[in-house]
Amino acid sequence: IGRKAGSVPGFEYSAAMKRSGIVWNATTLDRFLADPLQTVPGTTMGYAGVANARERADLIAFLREQSHGPECAK
């Protein structure tokens, strides 16, 4: 949450993810989790998405909670 997509050093992101311009927040995460290939065309992430809105909301709540840890502050 609050980090630009494709910006964690040392991780090999697709060119599409790096140039997506997305900053992760509840709205962008929900859109991506619902349909990653539509949200970031050209992404190499082999992930079909989470169709259930409640599951996405729960996942986003978990990520929001985890984003306050020291590892995410870097």
Side-chain angles (χ1 to χ4, degrees), residues 23-73:
V23 175
W24 297 121
N25 60 42
T27 302
T28 57
L29 278 166
D30 185 61
R31 190 176 329 130
F32 181 77
L33 291 170
D35 193 347
L37 300 176
Q38 176 71 30
T39 304
V40 183
T43 186
T44 56
M45 182 175 284
Y47 173 69
V50 178
N52 184 285
R54 181 74 236 159
E55 288 180 23
R56 287 195 313 273
D58 289 345
L59 179 54
I60 292 165
F62 172 79
L63 292 171
R64 182 180 288 124
E65 182 179 298
Q66 297 304 305
S67 71
H68 297 294
E71 287 300 311
C72 289

